[in-house]
Amino acid sequence: MSIKMSVVVPTYNSGERIMDVIDSLDAQSLPSDEFEAIFIDDGSTDGTYDLLSNLAITRPYMRVKRIANTGWPGRPRNLGTEMARGDYVLYMDHDDKIFPEALERVHRYGIENNADVVIGKEVIEGAPTLAWDTFREDVPRATAVQSRVLGLMTPHKFYRREFLTEHGILYPEEKCYLEDHFFNIPIFVRAKVISVLADYPCYTWVKHATNNSKAYQAPDYFWRWVRQAIALIHDHTSPGDVRDVMMARWYGTRILRVFSPRMLNRPRAWIEAGMPLATQIVETYIDKQVDERMSHVWRLRSTLLRRGDLDGLYALAKHDKEITATTRVTDLRWDNGAILISGITALTDRSGTPYPLRREGDRVLRQLPADLTGRFTPADLDVTGALTDAVIELGIRGRRAGVEWPVATDGAVAFLERDGGTVAEANWRARVDPRTAAFGRPLDENLWDLSVRLSALGFAPHRRLPVLDHHAHPALLDGRPAVVYATVNDNVSLDLAEENVGVVQAAEPRIADLTIADNPTGGELVLRLPALHVHGNPKVGVDVSVAGQTTPGELTVEDGCAVLRASYVAPAASAPIMAAVTGGGKPTGLALLRQPDGRSVPTRLGDVRPRPVVSELRWDGGMLRATIDCPFVDPTGNPYVFEHVNGEVLLDAAAAPPAAPASDRAVTPALVGMELLVNKRGSDDWFTVPVQATPTITRAGHGRAHLTHRYDASLDPATMRAGKGLKSGLYDVYTRSTVFAGGQPQRLGQDDTPAVPGVGLPAVYGGGTAYAIAYGTVDNGKLSIAVNRTWPKHVLTAAATATAEITMGHGARLRVALPLHLGSTSGPLRGTLRLSDGQGFEAAVPAAVEASTRGAELTARLGGETLPAGRVELSFDVKLGRHLMSMPLGRWTPGDATGTATAGSTRSPVATVLRLLRRP
């Protein structure tokens, strides 16, 4: 059997990270004798080569070769290409993944179109959608003149092997910036057919904070390589469309982007040093007509750059930084099995104020601040056509794999006169059918997030779709549950498996819609659900559970209304009614109150809600242990006063059916349920933490009582993500009442005092490979966790009072006590202690941090260094997993001749950390 596809993977000290590549190759639909994976190990020192060799024993598709270390992926990729036998070659990074049908689909698509290059749909893990315009639709036969194919310069494409060898196209083998560009530029120039495969995701790029190509970016280095890339385009093309299109792309993304709002994040000295180098490149290689092929905002930047107007570029960057888009949803509902959504999206500033425009005759111009207006002509500022041609489009993105699909959206920008000025708004309408939304195929994940993208003037804000209201919109589509719901961040998401919201729960059933035929051993319930949209098969099985006893039910349509019918086993005590199409049970907001005479009385629990607060927090064994006290309150936040009669807690009369006796309002603590959730900030990644509850009924006198639960929880950051560790980022802790609060998550903490004592609780866990700090946010005292953040002060300078003991002279020992928890498997942290007085004294000595009775203690020997008389600043450099951290420990002033030292920090570590944590 001939080899159809060759996958080339350079490796260096990859270790177990290589298993994501291996697992995705094992899962390929293309038979294993029709593809090969060539692993070129670049002199690993950690056993990676042995691991690959052992894996290859049971995987005939694997070929493994070891070479002397080069320190760069270019040589391994070129050698892999020489060894390749497939029709097409894919270059993978050592911790990325490909989708199961990628090799089979790409090979078939490439052969059908005689493609020199196939650009398969690519996803960045945990990041915004990549190259949106490139993957809007399949393009079987394109050329470089079609600019959308230039939107992606990563090496994760599929190249026809004979095309590469015929033209002698190789990766640069020296360390350089933009190495992928130097490989792809001659390919785009020489390729006769470039195919874009957009209807199936092919590649997942796992992007890390560290990146080899970004480690050598001093201004002269950076601009030298940009110049060489631009020169390569110039040398490989003739004057005309191909050169102009490619120059416009690289001019915008490699030069003008540096002078976009991104320049505000770089030191001004870096920008000033690079400005003349950038100007020289433009003057030498980029003709003025290239500007006409770029968007409005890029043309303005080009005008300023060509003039050498650095102050103007800074002013424009500050102005453009505030530009975004704001969306208001005006309609959202189910219709014939699809979600109909209408809305208005406007170009605005970050506060939501419409972006100001002005009219001159029949033209519309940008209204710039005074310090910019004089720098441009009216023709420069004319945006009439640019805004009229703006594109508004919805997208729907799977939360697990990160694949986003475009949604066909009808809409156009209109100019409106408002408040004495002109504004631009797009009215749009979209239809999302979960059965066909993935390029004609059903959506294949459980949770999906909706977004809206406005492409106008060169801006392309891509934002989550905000909610119309906080009511969920449930549906059953041929028996599959589908719930449109509001996330905790007030965005629109779609749940296709009742993972977060159940269809019955989302229908918000009323007590008036529930009828039960009750007897001492059980009964039958009939629940009308007028808010549930049913399309297709009208009969769906539903599991109904009361007090842990699950019975099958059926959901049908009667007289145009969804109706749930089910029998139930009589509960021994009052209990909530749970129901779910997918099993497992979701709260319905309804409950059965068990009466002394054996009857079960239905009730709806709506006015009582939990108010959980952290009473104790500590690290233990690498896990964060939390004790949460949860009193129940009324909607105003005051303690809910239950009736307390004969040892029973009673709800108020409004919770029960009209004219129900007091006994019908009995509630036991078993009715109260609460989940503990962790959410990665800014995302919709949620993780559930198991809790153990202990209820307490506190008598308030005169037949009244308060109800409180104490929950004990253990958060394990090393296993919380489906058995894997939490990724780097900030995580917020939420609670969710499964009955009383309607399933809406609430931030955990207190409104008046921090949820965590002091600044924070730092810990190292996972065998010394990861670290975290639990802290109470400064603004509202809510509990958050920072995991593997690049802010080093999160870990060691959380100490409010660090002490040091220094003995002068040869063999001196320094100790620093730290409130740092070391997980049981972490062992000592070994690194380097650095000392500096800022006036020429520098020293670096080996140091270690080990567990102590006070938390942890750093110990280092100063082997004969003579310490200065003034303040000494200490820091500890340590590698935790892949994270190399430099952790400031504070400043100390050596004491008198006895050799003691006292803490003498002029900047409190506590204050520093508080500043870093000053965020919601």
Side-chain angles (χ1 to χ4, degrees), residues 369-440:
D371 60 342
L372 281 169
T373 302
R375 288 178 156 92
F376 302 105
T377 67
D380 292 334
L381 301 179
D382 189 342
V383 294
T384 310
L387 281 174
T388 302
D389 295 337
V391 176
I392 186 79
E393 193 168 23
L394 265 64
I396 186 164
R397 177 180 175 130
R399 199 172 292 177
R400 176 181 55 82
V403 178
E404 185 164 14
W405 301 105
V407 175
T409 308
D410 295 325
V413 170
F415 298 114
L416 307 175
E417 303 306 314
R418 185 178 298 163
D419 299 329
T422 303
V423 299
E425 286 186 353
N427 281 270
W428 52 264
R429 180 182 176 89
R431 180 182 178 89
V432 183
D433 188 336
R435 298 163 298 174
T436 59
F439 271 58

Side-chain angles (χ1 to χ4, degrees), residues 1-319:
M1 184 68 66
S2 62
I3 300 298
K4 294 180 177 178
M5 304 294 283
S6 297
V7 181
V8 176
V9 188
T11 64
Y12 176 73
N13 287 353
S14 306
E16 291 295 327
R17 285 179 293 168
I18 199 67
M19 291 310 300
D20 281 343
V21 174
I22 300 295
D23 290 344
S24 68
L25 290 170
D26 286 346
Q28 287 302 298
S29 60
L30 187 68
S32 60
D33 60 351
E34 295 183 18
F35 73 91
E36 63 182 355
I38 304 168
F39 293 83
I40 308 296
D41 186 69
D42 194 39
S44 291
T45 60
D46 68 344
T48 294
Y49 175 74
D50 293 336
L51 173 62
L52 290 170
S53 299
N54 290 332
L55 290 169
I57 294 173
T58 57
R59 292 170 173 82
Y61 67 77
M62 285 183 64
R63 301 168 66 189
V64 182
K65 184 177 180 61
R66 189 175 194 176
I67 63 174
N69 179 254
T70 66
W72 205 249
R75 176 59 185 157
R77 285 173 176 166
N78 291 338
L79 181 58
T81 305
E82 293 177 16
M83 297 172 58
R85 299 169 292 171
D87 297 328
Y88 286 89
V89 178
L90 165 68
Y91 300 100
M92 286 189 71
D93 293 334
H94 66 169
D95 49 6
D96 291 349
K97 296 170 282 190
I98 53 177
F99 286 80
E101 299 176 29
L103 297 184
E104 180 182 9
R105 284 175 177 263
V106 167
H107 184 268
R108 182 171 61 246
Y109 194 66
I111 295 299
E112 286 175 355
N113 295 294
N114 195 28
D116 294 320
V117 183
V118 178
I119 304 176
K121 186 177 179 70
E122 188 169 344
V123 176
I124 302 182
E125 186 177 89
T129 295
L130 189 66
W132 181 267
D133 291 335
T134 301
F135 298 121
R136 181 175 281 111
E137 61 183 359
D138 284 347
V139 183
R141 300 177 65 84
T143 66
V145 177
Q146 295 171 276
S147 59
R148 71 166 53 182
V149 307
L150 301 177
L152 195 62
M153 281 296 109
T154 65
H156 315 135
K157 303 175 179 64
F158 301 81
Y159 305 93
R160 189 164 61 83
R161 181 176 58 83
E162 291 182 354
F163 169 78
L164 296 178
T165 57
E166 175 186 349
H167 295 283
I169 298 174
L170 300 171
Y171 273 92
E173 297 189 359
E174 64 174 316
K175 292 183 179 180
C176 66
Y177 175 54
L178 300 177
E179 70 273 15
D180 297 336
H181 295 245
F182 290 112
F183 181 72
N184 279 311
I185 286 171
I187 288 173
F188 282 125
V189 171
R190 293 168 177 162
K192 294 180 179 178
V193 176
I194 301 171
S195 297
V196 177
L197 179 62
D199 71 353
Y200 182 80
C202 296
Y203 195 97
T204 297
W205 181 15
V206 182
K207 195 172 183 180
H208 297 296
T210 56
N211 185 295
N212 287 336
S213 67
K214 295 184 179 179
Y216 306 90
Q217 291 190 1
D220 56 343
Y221 184 94
F222 175 91
W223 289 110
R224 173 161 63 91
W225 289 111
V226 172
R227 184 185 185 96
Q228 290 190 27
I230 298 294
L232 190 63
I233 297 172
H234 184 275
D235 295 344
H236 278 76
T237 58
S238 301
D241 287 343
V242 173
R243 174 182 288 181
D244 288 351
V245 168
M246 294 187 71
M247 281 294 186
R249 176 69 187 178
W250 265 265
Y251 182 28
T253 59
R254 292 299 117 194
I255 297 179
L256 293 177
R257 182 170 291 175
V258 173
F259 301 98
S260 72
R262 296 185 179 196
M263 69 190 298
L264 305 176
N265 299 324
R266 288 185 180 270
R268 180 155 183 139
W270 192 97
I271 297 293
E272 289 176 345
M275 179 80 167
L277 302 176
T279 303
Q280 290 173 10
I281 297 171
V282 175
E283 291 175 347
T284 304
Y285 294 107
I286 304 175
D287 297 332
K288 190 68 173 68
Q289 75 266 13
V290 170
D291 291 14
E292 300 305 313
R293 294 183 180 268
M294 296 191 297
S295 65
H296 164 81
V297 69
W298 294 115
R299 290 199 300 272
L300 294 188
R301 290 169 191 158
S302 179
T303 297
L304 297 173
L305 179 63
R306 289 179 185 274
R307 291 181 192 155
D309 187 352
L310 183 58
D311 289 340
L313 285 166
Y314 266 105
L316 185 60
K318 292 175 182 177
H319 180 73

Side-chain angles (χ1 to χ4, degrees), residues 504 514 516 525 527 544-547 564 568 575-579 586-592 602-603 671 738-739:
V504 178
L514 175 63
I516 66 170
L525 62 84
L527 179 61
V544 176
S545 176
V546 179
L564 171 62
Y568 65 90
I577 300 173
M578 315 289 281
K586 289 291 181 182
T588 63
L590 303 176
L592 293 180
T603 187
L671 273 175
T738 57
V739 176

Side-chain angles (χ1 to χ4, degrees), residues 572-577 589-596 599 601-606 608-609 632 640-653 655-656 661-673 695-697 705-709 737 739-740:
S574 299
I577 300 173
L590 303 176
L592 293 180
L593 302 183
R594 190 65 171 172
Q595 304 303 301
R599 293 181 301 116
V601 177
T603 187
R604 178 166 180 83
L605 308 172
V608 188
R609 56 202 65 194
F632 289 87
Y640 189 92
V641 179
F642 296 87
E643 292 185 34
H644 191 231
V645 180
N646 298 325
E648 290 186 310
V649 176
L650 306 180
L651 295 171
D652 60 35
S663 59
D664 287 357
R665 295 181 278 120
V667 58
T668 66
L671 273 175
V672 179
T696 301
I697 299 173
H706 303 307
L707 183 61
T708 299
H709 273 187
S737 170
V739 176
F740 288 161

